[in-house]
Amino acid sequence: MRDIVRAVQDVTTIMAEISRSSQEQSDGVDQVNIALMDMDQGAQANSVQVEQAAEISAQLATQARQLSNAVGIFKVAAKPANSRLLR
C-alpha cells in the first residue's frame, strides 16, 4: 500500500513540475509575441517615415527644378563689368 501511495505522490509531483514548466513556456511564448508585435509596430512606423521622406524628396526635387527655371532667366556675365570696383 505504501508503494502505491508513494507512486501516486511521485506522479503528482511530476504532474506539478510539468504544469510549472508548461506555464513557464507559455510565459516565454507570450514574451516572444510581445517582442514580435513591438518589432512589427516599429517596422510599420519606419515604413511610414520612408514613404514620407520619399514624398518630401520628390517635392524638393520639383521645387529645385522650379527654382532653377526661375533663376535661369537671369543672365550673369562670367566677369563683372565693373571688376575694378570689386577690388
Side-chain angles (χ1 to χ4, degrees):
M1 186 65 163
R2 285 183 190 179
D3 291 341
I4 294 174
V5 170
R6 176 167 277 172
V8 169
Q9 288 174 340
D10 289 346
V11 169
T12 302
T13 301
I14 291 171
M15 289 176 60
E17 289 175 8
I18 290 171
S19 178
R20 263 193 308 276
S21 295
S22 294
Q23 185 59 47
E24 288 176 9
Q25 189 175 34
S26 177
D27 292 345
V29 169
D30 287 344
Q31 289 176 351
V32 169
N33 283 334
I34 289 169
L36 287 174
M37 287 188 299
D38 287 346
M39 288 172 51
D40 184 52
Q41 288 174 350
Q44 289 177 9
N46 286 345
S47 175
V48 168
Q49 289 175 347
V50 167
E51 288 176 16
Q52 290 172 343
E55 185 177 323
I56 290 170
S57 177
Q59 291 173 358
L60 286 174
T62 299
Q63 290 176 355
R65 280 191 301 276
Q66 290 171 344
L67 181 60
S68 178
N69 290 338
V71 292
I73 63 171
F74 296 103
K75 302 295 178 199
V76 180
K79 208 173 195 184
N82 53 359
S83 60
R84 283 184 273 154
L85 296 175
L86 295 177
R87 289 183 187 173

